[in-house]
Amino acid sequence: MKKCGLISAALVYGGSSLMLEGCASVSYFPYSEEKNLLVIKKSNFVKDKYGLIEYKNLPAPIYITKLEDDNYSAVLLECTHKRCEVSPAGNILICPCHGSEYSNTGKVLQPPADKDLYSFRIKTDSENIYVNVKNN
Ligand code: FES
């Protein structure tokens, strides 16, 4: 399984420097396509609570998180401020360009971004997660 490379970036934000190390151990999950859906096996989440999907038709990876009660979240890792790629860092998502922070479900925690990350509609069955990449 492909792993996300270590991302280190120095930020100068609010007059101070901050070192980021993101997605050091985030896996890229395999998927199949069914019409406008990306199909991911739930078994991927036995070991990891979150992972990435690299889909050719999107400008950034999709970050999928397993929530409580067998629910899932899928967000596009494209910052809503100026479209840099956001990086997983622990249980939050951080933009290396100007320091915006998001929760792992894409909610803005720290400006300058003022809009949440794009969120995909998801449905599930007993085996799979279906991420709708069109007509959201
Ligand atoms: S592009 Fe992400 S904070 Fe500016």
Side-chain angles (χ1 to χ4, degrees):
M1 188 178 295
K2 185 177 168 187
K3 294 274 187 180
C4 178
L6 180 66
I7 294 176
S8 297
L11 289 178
V12 178
Y13 182 73
S16 63
S17 291
L18 168 67
M19 287 299 290
L20 297 178
E21 289 188 3
C23 72
S25 62
V26 182
S27 298
Y28 279 89
F29 292 156
Y31 65 90
S32 59
E33 293 182 57
E34 287 180 14
K35 296 183 182 171
N36 59 347
L37 301 174
L38 304 183
V39 184
I40 301 101
K41 298 270 183 219
K42 282 185 174 177
S43 57
N44 285 301
F45 291 89
V46 171
K47 188 172 141 238
D48 298 313
K49 285 197 165 191
Y50 45 81
L52 300 167
I53 295 174
E54 193 166 36
Y55 180 56
K56 60 188 179 299
N57 296 336
L58 295 172
I62 299 171
Y63 181 81
I64 298 188
T65 307
K66 183 177 182 182
L67 307 170
E68 299 198 3
D69 300 327
D70 202 35
N71 288 314
Y72 296 84
S73 162
V75 296
L76 183 65
L77 290 181
E78 182 182 59
C79 185
T80 58
H81 178 232
K82 293 196 185 266
R83 304 181 131 200
C84 287
E85 187 170 315
V86 176
S87 299
N91 60 356
I92 62 171
L93 305 169
I94 299 177
C95 181
C97 291
H98 312 103
S100 288
E101 295 181 8
Y102 301 88
S103 72
N104 63 1
T105 58
K107 303 285 182 218
V108 174
L109 301 174
Q110 171 82 36
D114 60 1
K115 291 183 184 151
D116 296 341
L117 296 179
Y118 182 84
S119 182
F120 296 90
R121 281 192 294 170
I122 287 182
K123 63 182 183 177
T124 63
D125 61 21
S126 59
E127 281 185 39
N128 298 313
I129 302 156
Y130 302 88
V131 178
N132 188 333
V133 291
K134 293 180 185 156
N135 304 323
N136 254 15

Coordinates of all heavy atoms in Angstrom, one line a residue, residues 32-66:
S32 N -11.9 1.1 -6.5 CA -12.4 0.8 -7.8 C -13.4 1.9 -8.1 O -13.8 2.6 -7.3 CB -12.9 -0.6 -7.9 OG -14.0 -0.7 -6.9
E33 N -13.8 1.9 -9.4 CA -14.8 3.0 -9.8 C -16.1 2.3 -10.3 O -16.0 1.3 -11.0 CB -14.2 3.8 -10.9 CG -13.1 4.7 -10.5 CD -12.6 5.6 -11.6 OE1 -13.4 6.3 -12.2 OE2 -11.4 5.5 -12.0
E34 N -17.2 2.8 -9.9 CA -18.5 2.3 -10.4 C -19.3 3.6 -10.7 O -19.7 4.3 -9.8 CB -19.3 1.6 -9.3 CG -18.7 0.2 -9.0 CD -19.6 -0.5 -7.9 OE1 -20.7 0.0 -7.6 OE2 -19.1 -1.5 -7.4
K35 N -19.4 3.9 -12.0 CA -20.0 5.1 -12.5 C -19.4 6.3 -11.8 O -18.2 6.5 -12.0 CB -21.5 5.0 -12.3 CG -22.2 4.0 -13.0 CD -23.7 4.0 -12.9 CE -24.3 2.8 -13.6 NZ -25.7 2.6 -13.3
N36 N -20.1 7.1 -11.1 CA -19.5 8.3 -10.4 C -19.1 8.0 -9.0 O -19.0 9.0 -8.2 CB -20.5 9.4 -10.5 CG -21.8 9.1 -9.8 OD1 -22.1 7.9 -9.5 ND2 -22.6 10.1 -9.6
L37 N -18.9 6.8 -8.6 CA -18.6 6.4 -7.3 C -17.2 5.8 -7.2 O -16.8 5.0 -8.0 CB -19.6 5.4 -6.7 CG -21.0 5.9 -6.6 CD1 -21.9 4.7 -6.2 CD2 -21.2 7.1 -5.7
L38 N -16.4 6.2 -6.2 CA -15.2 5.5 -5.8 C -15.5 4.5 -4.7 O -16.1 4.9 -3.7 CB -14.1 6.5 -5.4 CG -13.8 7.6 -6.3 CD1 -12.6 8.5 -5.8 CD2 -13.4 7.1 -7.7
V39 N -15.1 3.3 -4.9 CA -15.5 2.2 -4.0 C -14.2 1.8 -3.2 O -13.2 1.4 -3.8 CB -16.0 1.0 -4.7 CG1 -16.5 -0.1 -3.7 CG2 -17.2 1.4 -5.6
I40 N -14.3 2.0 -1.9 CA -13.2 1.7 -1.0 C -13.6 0.6 0.0 O -14.7 0.7 0.6 CB -12.7 2.9 -0.2 CG1 -12.3 4.0 -1.1 CG2 -11.6 2.6 0.8 CD1 -13.4 5.1 -1.3
K41 N -12.8 -0.4 0.2 CA -13.1 -1.5 1.1 C -13.0 -1.0 2.6 O -12.1 -0.3 2.9 CB -12.2 -2.7 1.0 CG -12.2 -3.3 -0.4 CD -13.2 -4.4 -0.4 CE -13.2 -5.2 -1.7 NZ -14.6 -5.5 -2.1
K42 N -14.1 -1.3 3.3 CA -14.0 -0.9 4.8 C -12.8 -1.6 5.5 O -12.4 -1.1 6.5 CB -15.3 -1.3 5.5 CG -16.5 -0.4 5.2 CD -17.7 -0.8 6.0 CE -18.8 0.2 5.9 NZ -20.0 -0.2 6.6
S43 N -12.4 -2.7 5.0 CA -11.3 -3.4 5.6 C -10.0 -2.6 5.7 O -9.1 -2.8 6.5 CB -11.0 -4.7 4.9 OG -10.7 -4.5 3.5
N44 N -9.9 -1.6 4.8 CA -8.8 -0.6 4.9 C -8.7 0.1 6.2 O -7.6 0.5 6.6 CB -8.8 0.4 3.8 CG -8.5 -0.1 2.4 OD1 -7.4 -0.6 2.2 ND2 -9.4 0.0 1.5
F45 N -9.8 0.2 6.9 CA -9.9 1.0 8.1 C -9.7 0.1 9.4 O -9.9 0.6 10.5 CB -11.2 1.7 8.2 CG -11.3 2.8 7.2 CD1 -11.8 2.6 5.9 CD2 -10.9 4.1 7.5 CE1 -11.9 3.6 5.0 CE2 -10.9 5.1 6.6 CZ -11.4 4.9 5.3
V46 N -9.4 -1.1 9.2 CA -9.1 -2.0 10.4 C -7.8 -1.5 11.1 O -7.8 -1.4 12.3 CB -8.9 -3.5 9.9 CG1 -8.4 -4.3 11.1 CG2 -10.3 -4.0 9.4
K47 N -6.8 -1.2 10.2 CA -5.5 -0.7 10.8 C -5.5 0.8 10.9 O -4.9 1.3 11.9 CB -4.4 -1.2 9.8 CG -3.0 -1.0 10.4 CD -2.0 -1.6 9.5 CE -0.8 -0.7 9.4 NZ -0.4 -0.4 8.0
D48 N -6.0 1.5 9.9 CA -5.9 3.0 9.9 C -7.3 3.6 10.1 O -8.2 3.1 9.5 CB -5.3 3.5 8.6 CG -3.9 2.9 8.4 OD1 -3.1 3.0 9.3 OD2 -3.6 2.4 7.2
K49 N -7.4 4.7 10.8 CA -8.6 5.4 10.9 C -8.8 6.4 9.8 O -9.9 7.0 9.7 CB -8.7 6.2 12.3 CG -9.0 5.2 13.4 CD -9.4 6.0 14.6 CE -10.0 5.0 15.6 NZ -10.7 5.6 16.7
Y50 N -7.8 6.7 9.0 CA -7.9 7.6 7.9 C -7.0 7.2 6.8 O -6.0 6.5 7.1 CB -7.7 9.1 8.4 CG -6.5 9.3 9.3 CD1 -5.2 9.3 8.8 CD2 -6.7 9.3 10.6 CE1 -4.1 9.5 9.6 CE2 -5.6 9.5 11.5 CZ -4.3 9.6 10.9 OH -3.2 9.8 11.7
G51 N -7.2 7.7 5.6 CA -6.4 7.4 4.5 C -6.7 8.4 3.4 O -7.5 9.2 3.5
L52 N -5.9 8.2 2.3 CA -6.0 9.1 1.1 C -6.4 8.3 -0.1 O -6.1 7.1 -0.2 CB -4.7 9.7 0.9 CG -4.1 10.6 2.0 CD1 -2.6 10.9 1.7 CD2 -4.9 11.9 2.1
I53 N -7.1 9.0 -1.0 CA -7.4 8.4 -2.3 C -6.9 9.5 -3.3 O -7.2 10.6 -3.2 CB -8.9 8.3 -2.5 CG1 -9.4 7.2 -1.5 CG2 -9.2 7.8 -3.9 CD1 -10.9 7.1 -1.6
E54 N -6.1 9.0 -4.3 CA -5.6 9.8 -5.3 C -6.5 9.5 -6.6 O -6.4 8.4 -7.2 CB -4.2 9.5 -5.6 CG -3.5 10.5 -6.4 CD -2.0 10.4 -6.4 OE1 -1.5 9.2 -6.3 OE2 -1.3 11.4 -6.4
Y55 N -7.3 10.4 -6.9 CA -8.2 10.3 -8.0 C -7.8 11.2 -9.1 O -7.7 12.4 -8.9 CB -9.7 10.5 -7.6 CG -10.7 10.3 -8.7 CD1 -10.8 9.1 -9.4 CD2 -11.6 11.3 -9.0 CE1 -11.7 8.9 -10.4 CE2 -12.5 11.2 -10.0 CZ -12.6 10.0 -10.7 OH -13.5 9.8 -11.7
K56 N -7.6 10.7 -10.3 CA -7.0 11.5 -11.4 C -7.8 12.7 -11.8 O -7.2 13.7 -12.3 CB -6.8 10.6 -12.7 CG -8.2 10.0 -13.2 CD -8.0 9.0 -14.3 CE -9.2 8.5 -14.8 NZ -10.1 7.7 -13.8
N57 N -9.1 12.8 -11.6 CA -9.9 13.9 -12.0 C -10.0 15.0 -11.0 O -10.8 15.9 -11.2 CB -11.3 13.4 -12.5 CG -11.2 12.5 -13.7 OD1 -10.2 12.5 -14.4 ND2 -12.1 11.6 -13.8
L58 N -9.3 14.9 -9.9 CA -9.4 15.9 -8.9 C -8.1 16.6 -8.7 O -7.0 16.0 -8.9 CB -9.9 15.3 -7.6 CG -11.3 14.7 -7.5 CD1 -11.5 13.9 -6.3 CD2 -12.3 15.8 -7.7
P59 N -8.1 17.9 -8.2 CA -6.9 18.7 -8.1 C -6.0 18.3 -6.9 O -4.9 18.7 -6.7 CB -7.3 20.1 -8.0 CG -8.7 20.0 -7.5 CD -9.3 18.7 -8.0
A60 N -6.6 17.5 -6.0 CA -5.9 17.1 -4.7 C -6.4 15.8 -4.3 O -7.5 15.4 -4.7 CB -6.1 18.2 -3.7
P61 N -5.7 15.1 -3.4 CA -6.3 13.8 -2.9 C -7.5 14.0 -2.0 O -7.8 15.1 -1.5 CB -5.1 13.3 -2.0 CG -3.9 14.0 -2.4 CD -4.4 15.4 -2.9
I62 N -8.2 12.9 -1.9 CA -9.4 12.9 -1.0 C -8.9 12.3 0.3 O -8.2 11.3 0.3 CB -10.5 12.0 -1.6 CG1 -11.0 12.6 -2.9 CG2 -11.7 11.9 -0.6 CD1 -12.0 11.7 -3.6
Y63 N -9.3 12.9 1.4 CA -8.9 12.4 2.8 C -10.1 11.8 3.4 O -11.2 12.5 3.6 CB -8.4 13.6 3.6 CG -8.0 13.3 5.0 CD1 -6.7 12.7 5.2 CD2 -8.8 13.5 6.1 CE1 -6.3 12.5 6.5 CE2 -8.4 13.2 7.4 CZ -7.1 12.7 7.6 OH -6.7 12.4 8.9
I64 N -10.1 10.5 3.7 CA -11.2 9.8 4.2 C -10.9 9.4 5.7 O -9.9 8.9 6.0 CB -11.5 8.5 3.5 CG1 -11.9 8.8 2.0 CG2 -12.6 7.7 4.1 CD1 -12.4 7.6 1.2
T65 N -11.9 9.7 6.5 CA -11.7 9.4 8.0 C -12.9 8.6 8.4 O -14.0 8.8 8.1 CB -11.8 10.7 8.8 OG1 -10.9 11.7 8.3 CG2 -11.5 10.5 10.2
K66 N -12.6 7.6 9.2 CA -13.6 6.8 9.9 C -14.0 7.5 11.2 O -13.2 7.8 12.0 CB -13.1 5.4 10.2 CG -14.2 4.5 10.8 CD -13.8 3.1 11.0 CE -15.0 2.3 11.6 NZ -14.6 0.9 11.9

